[in-house]
């Protein structure tokens, strides 16, 4: 995917400009730069987006004229599907307002018009040099984190979607949510995203899947999070097996930095494969007797599966402050440390957010629950601590399970 044969040193630039005059001026400037390949497009549509993804350019220059409103939208889409490329915009009238909005869509640089050839060349050279030293130009080595409820309804979907958007906002890395609640998945609703394709289509075409095209076709949240939804029909869930999961995760690791899996809360070959292949598992629990009982059983099973304590992280959701005193008792009972606690939020706020399809960390960033999710995200990203990731649990239980 990254290798370009003998062309590694050749830089690819793409120019999208509907105006023949400005396009030709810029073409001339760029053609005078050595070792650069330039492809130009006049129009913008899904087909062009697909072609740009295939070219995997270092820089894309987009002229926002004649219709900055719709072209800004396109700029956002473009930025989300570019692997490592930098987005540059230009317009005859670059007002501060337009610059601000373009920045929000991910633009890294602005070329004022009329173009100054030397400045354009200098800016392109520095953007392309930046790319060379950027670790993002290497294959991603995404982290797989599975959120597994010790019981249904403990908040797996809520926490998956909120962690995903807050990760995407904070780390500026590629985040994908994989909805593995194959029959009743609802991450798409929580994120208010519609998709033409689901994991069923991906599994069906797994042997000749084009990851760049996949990235383009899956829906993106405004924060940049990509979603791979669960199947649309119940019966399609049946055809997805452990081998599909394994291959899909392998592929996603190469193209995303974070793969968050919203798992269904029971063990079968699909969920166990996801757990085996995960770097970390957030085991979600709440403090009621049946869930505590299940949590204990899950922890025992994970230990049998050979998962380390660094891999399995216990998260208490819907935590009430008066239960604080019970925490050591709880840890004693479960013989397991609590990694994080997410407070209980009032019903109106949480359900309101779900019904509007806006994660609470975005809608109510100051809510205690949102702050706790952000803290959990910071724990996961590590900032030094926990850097050496436990590898996927090769010693998994799957073989045993399948017998
Ligand atoms: N910290 C919290 N405070 C208050 N309510 C919460 C909290 N976390 C989740 N909820 C609520 O719990 C309900 C179930 O959440 P969610 O759908 O995320 O659970 P789930 O584990 O994905 O369920 P399922 O097993 O059905 O997939 C939702 O109404 C959600 O708003
Ligand atoms: Mg759910």
């Amino acid at each position: 995917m990254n290798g370009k044969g003998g062309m590694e040193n050749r830089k690819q630039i793409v120019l999208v400009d509907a105006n023949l005059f400005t396009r030709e001026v810029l073409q001339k400037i760029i053609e005078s730069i050595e070792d650069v390949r330039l492809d130009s497009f006049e129009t913008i549509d899904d087909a062009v987006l697909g072609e740009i993804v295939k070219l995997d350019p270092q820089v894309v220059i987009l002229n926002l004229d004649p219709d900055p409103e719709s072209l800004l939208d396109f700029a956002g889409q473009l930025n989300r599907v570019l692997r490592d490329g930098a987005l540059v915009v230009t317009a005859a009238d670059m007002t501060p307002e337009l610059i601000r909005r373009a920045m929000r869509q991910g633009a890294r640089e602005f070329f004022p018009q009329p173009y100054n050839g030397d400045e354009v060349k200098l800016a392109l050279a520095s953007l392309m040099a930046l790319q060379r030293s950027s670790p993002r130009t290497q294959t991603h080595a995404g982290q797989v984190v599975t959120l597994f409820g010790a019981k249904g309804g403990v908040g797996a979907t809520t926490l998956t979607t909120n962690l995903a958007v807050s990760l995407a906002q904070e780390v500026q890395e590629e985040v994908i949510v994989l909805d593995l609640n194959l029959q009743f998945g609802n991450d798409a609703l929580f994120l208010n995203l519609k998709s033409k394709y689901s994991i069923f289509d991906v599994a069906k075409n797994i042997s000749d899947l084009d990851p760049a095209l996949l990235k383009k076709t899956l829906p993106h949240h405004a924060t940049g999070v990509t979603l791979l939804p669960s199947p649309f029909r119940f019966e399609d869930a049946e055809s997805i097996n452990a081998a599909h999961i394994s291959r899909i995760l392998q592929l996603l690791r190469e193209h995303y930095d974070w793969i968050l899996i919203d798992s269904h809360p029971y063990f079968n070959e699909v969920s166990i494969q996801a757990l085996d292949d995960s770097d970390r598992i957030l085991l979600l629990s709440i403090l009621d007797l049946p869930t505590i009982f299940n949590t204990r059983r899950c922890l025992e099973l994970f230990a049998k599966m050979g998962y380390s304590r660094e891999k399995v992280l216990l998260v208490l959701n819907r935590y009430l402050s008066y239960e604080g005193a019970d925490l050591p008792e709880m840890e004693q009972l479960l013989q397991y440390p609590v990694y994080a606690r997410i407070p209980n939020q009032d019903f109106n706020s949480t359900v309101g957010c779900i019904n509007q399809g806006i994660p609470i960390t975005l809608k109510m960033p100051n809510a205690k629950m949102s702050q706790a999710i952000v803290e959990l995200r910071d724990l996961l990203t590590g900032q030094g601590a926990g850097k050496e990731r436990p590898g996927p649990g090769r010693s998994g239980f799957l073989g045993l399970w399948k017998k």
Side-chain angles (χ1 to χ4, degrees):
M1 188 60 211
N2 282 323
K4 281 191 175 162
M7 292 175 53
E8 294 94 20
N9 296 325
R10 199 107 187 254
K11 301 289 185 187
Q12 172 74 53
I13 296 181
V14 164
L15 173 60
V16 185
D17 186 348
N19 181 318
L20 177 68
F21 175 72
T22 46
R23 194 170 69 238
E24 284 188 348
V25 174
L26 209 48
Q27 271 170 349
K28 279 221 172 66
I29 297 172
I30 295 170
E31 277 160 10
S32 71
I33 310 174
E34 267 180 33
D35 288 329
V36 162
R37 197 193 125 106
L38 175 70
D39 282 73
S40 302
F41 299 91
E42 288 170 45
T43 50
I44 41 139
D45 54 29
D46 277 358
V48 169
L49 204 58
E51 281 193 48
I52 296 176
V53 168
K54 280 201 192 115
L55 288 168
D56 194 15
Q58 272 77 44
V59 179
V60 177
I61 306 161
L62 172 68
N63 188 352
L64 294 173
D65 295 325
D67 181 10
E69 280 310 314
S70 66
L71 285 161
L72 274 171
D73 268 355
F74 179 73
Q77 278 182 48
L78 195 57
N79 189 48
R80 285 190 283 275
V81 295
L82 285 178
R83 273 167 49 76
D84 301 304
L87 178 65
V88 176
V89 296
T90 177
D93 186 15
M94 287 261 30
T95 61
E97 168 64 10
L98 193 60
I99 293 183
R100 224 177 1 256
R101 290 177 63 197
M103 275 177 71
R104 257 185 250 134
Q105 298 294 350
R108 296 251 290 271
E109 187 72 61
F110 311 92
F111 289 167
Q113 294 177 18
Y115 299 121
N116 173 323
D118 290 339
E119 277 176 20
V120 164
K121 282 198 248 178
L122 210 64
L124 288 175
S126 84
L127 281 173
M128 292 185 299
L130 209 76
Q131 311 267 299
R132 201 171 30 228
S133 56
S134 157
R136 293 282 307 279
T137 54
Q138 292 158 13
T139 304
H140 295 214
Q143 288 214 43
V144 178
V145 180
T146 292
L147 287 89
F148 189 90
K151 194 168 174 291
V154 297
T157 307
T158 304
L159 294 183
T160 304
T161 47
N162 274 287
L163 271 177
V165 295
S166 83
L167 263 172
Q169 279 190 318
E170 174 63 18
V171 295
Q172 306 284 310
E173 290 180 326
E174 306 259 5
V175 181
I176 186 164
V177 165
L178 173 54
D179 191 349
L180 267 196
N181 196 334
L182 293 181
Q183 291 194 343
F184 284 103
N186 45 21
D187 289 80
L189 281 179
F190 276 57
L191 291 169
N192 193 19
L193 289 174
K194 286 198 178 63
S195 180
K196 275 196 219 156
Y197 304 101
S198 77
I199 187 169
F200 172 70
D201 306 287
V202 173
K204 213 167 54 179
N205 299 300
I206 193 75
S207 49
D208 52 4
L209 206 65
D210 175 352
L213 208 62
L214 177 71
K215 204 170 211 170
K216 171 186 143 13
T217 23
L218 291 177
H220 300 282
H221 188 259
T223 53
V225 170
T226 308
L227 172 69
L228 179 47
S230 54
F232 307 131
R233 299 181 308 177
F234 287 126
E235 56 270 35
D236 292 343
E238 292 296 307
S239 63
I240 295 162
N241 60 35
H244 290 137
I245 300 302
S246 181
R247 180 72 191 106
I248 290 171
L249 289 178
Q250 194 184 13
L251 200 98
L252 294 182
R253 270 185 202 278
E254 287 167 18
H255 295 273
Y256 293 86
D257 301 292
W258 292 89
I259 299 108
L260 298 192
I261 302 180
D262 179 2
S263 172
H264 46 205
Y266 52 87
F267 296 105
N268 63 6
E269 69 165 291
V270 164
S271 61
I272 289 179
Q273 187 66 55
L275 292 166
D276 269 2
D277 287 353
S278 292
D279 296 292
R280 285 182 278 189
I281 297 164
L282 299 184
L283 175 61
L284 310 178
S285 184
I286 55 175
L287 290 185
D288 65 35
L289 206 57
T291 316
I292 292 172
F293 181 72
N294 282 6
T295 304
R296 210 178 147 148
R297 294 181 63 206
C298 287
L299 288 170
E300 282 166 10
L301 181 64
F302 290 153
K304 270 194 209 148
M305 289 156 100
Y307 297 169
S308 70
R309 287 193 164 216
E310 287 75 45
K311 173 163 172 168
V312 180
L313 307 166
L314 179 57
V315 175
L316 298 185
N317 191 19
R318 311 199 67 167
Y319 194 80
L320 299 166
S321 53
Y322 67 81
E323 289 162 330
D326 299 341
L327 191 64
E329 214 177 297
M330 173 83 183
E331 290 185 322
Q332 182 67 29
L333 181 75
L334 293 169
Q335 293 287 298
Y336 212 86
V338 172
Y339 186 69
R341 286 173 286 166
I342 312 292
N344 192 53
Q345 187 73 32
D346 65 286
F347 182 80
N348 284 347
S349 320
T350 49
V351 172
C353 287
I354 293 173
N355 289 346
Q356 288 176 46
I358 308 173
I360 190 164
T361 41
L362 298 182
K363 183 143 189 271
M364 302 170 64
N366 295 324
K368 285 217 167 83
M369 178 176 171
S370 303
Q371 288 171 356
I373 292 172
V374 167
E375 279 171 30
L376 173 56
R377 172 203 72 196
D378 290 343
L379 274 175
L380 286 173
T381 53
Q383 281 127 22
K387 267 244 164 93
E388 87 291 344
R389 316 195 315 245
R394 286 280 132 242
S395 49
F397 192 57
L398 192 59
L400 255 174
W401 188 271
K402 278 173 175 163
K403 278 175 195 157

